[in-house]
Amino acid sequence: MSEQSKHASPDNLETDHLETPDPEQASEQAEEVVEQDVNQLLEEARLQASQHWDSLLRVQADMENLRRRTRIDIESAHKYALEKLIHALVPVADSLELGLDASNKPEASVESIREGLAMTFKQFLDVLADFNVERINPAGEKFDPQKHEAMTMIPSPAHESNAVVEVFQKGYALNDRLIRPARVIVAQ
């Protein structure tokens, strides 16, 4: 065999550079890698938990602020709910006061007082209409126990049975919700 073939044979190969791995050392290295991975995962989990905790605290603070603002808004709504209505009624009160002052003057006539009173009453009804208050005047209509209160029943050949003959007091409804029924006399 030639010199080259001797060197090329597998029996003569140098194995100095190849080491067989030590099972204990490999196990230790694997444990170190796993420990590093676990520590890294643990640190990431701690960081994420800290972020979630901060987020939770912020959300709780926001909710408490929202509750407080809502409570204040509701208190204000209850306290000042009628403010818009009062602003609308003040001019009606002013008209009534002017009418009273005018009625005390010697030049005031019954007709001028009646005219001023009619204008003030119309102004008052317009304010009610602006606030969705409907006036119920059922004269000549069929009696409706949901909207009318029968004060009495009378025989009336001029009206059909259960028809409203006369209205004592007109009724009122707010947004289709009955506030006060109309008080009426009904035909028998």
Side-chain angles (χ1 to χ4, degrees):
M1 241 193 211
S2 75
E3 196 61 34
Q4 285 180 338
S5 60
K6 279 187 184 178
H7 288 285
S9 80
D11 296 333
N12 295 335
L13 284 178
E14 294 182 23
T15 57
D16 291 343
H17 69 283
L18 295 175
E19 297 179 17
T20 55
D22 181 16
E24 285 182 30
Q25 189 179 9
S27 174
E28 286 175 12
Q29 287 176 347
E31 284 178 18
E32 285 177 18
V33 169
V34 169
E35 189 175 322
Q36 287 175 351
D37 288 346
V38 167
N39 286 338
Q40 183 180 0
L41 288 172
L42 180 60
E43 191 56 40
E44 289 174 5
R46 284 182 180 150
L47 178 64
Q48 192 175 23
S50 175
Q51 290 171 347
H52 288 166
W53 181 255
D54 290 344
S55 178
L56 170 70
L57 292 178
R58 271 191 241 105
V59 167
Q60 284 178 332
D62 288 346
M63 286 302 298
E64 187 57 38
N65 289 338
L66 179 63
R67 281 188 199 106
R68 184 180 48 77
R69 279 193 310 268
T70 302
R71 182 180 40 81
I72 290 170
D73 289 348
I74 289 172
E75 286 172 2
S76 292
H78 285 278
K79 192 173 184 180
Y80 301 110
L82 298 177
E83 184 176 9
K84 193 173 176 186
L85 176 63
I86 299 305
H87 279 292
L89 286 176
V90 167
V92 175
D94 291 342
S95 292
L96 286 171
E97 188 175 15
L98 287 172
L100 284 173
D101 290 345
S103 69
N104 291 327
K105 294 183 180 176
E107 66 270 0
S109 69
V110 172
E111 187 56 38
S112 67
I113 293 172
R114 183 178 294 131
E115 186 178 313
L117 186 59
M119 287 173 32
T120 302
F121 186 62
K122 183 192 176 320
Q123 185 181 20
F124 178 72
L125 291 178
D126 289 345
V127 168
L128 290 180
D130 287 345
F131 286 86
N132 299 320
V133 177
E134 176 190 355
R135 197 161 184 230
I136 301 171
N137 185 5
E141 294 178 6
K142 189 146 181 85
F143 177 75
D144 180 356
Q146 300 295 321
K147 294 181 179 179
H148 312 141
E149 180 182 337
M151 303 304 289
T152 187
M153 292 184 80
I154 59 169
S156 176
H159 297 87
E160 60 182 68
S161 181
N162 275 343
V164 174
V165 175
E166 186 179 336
V167 179
F168 278 143
Q169 228 176 21
K170 292 174 179 68
Y172 291 90
L174 173 63
N175 293 321
D176 297 325
R177 185 180 197 184
L178 189 65
I179 300 297
R180 183 181 79 188
R183 294 188 175 141
V184 297
I185 297 175
V186 181
Q188 257 179 336

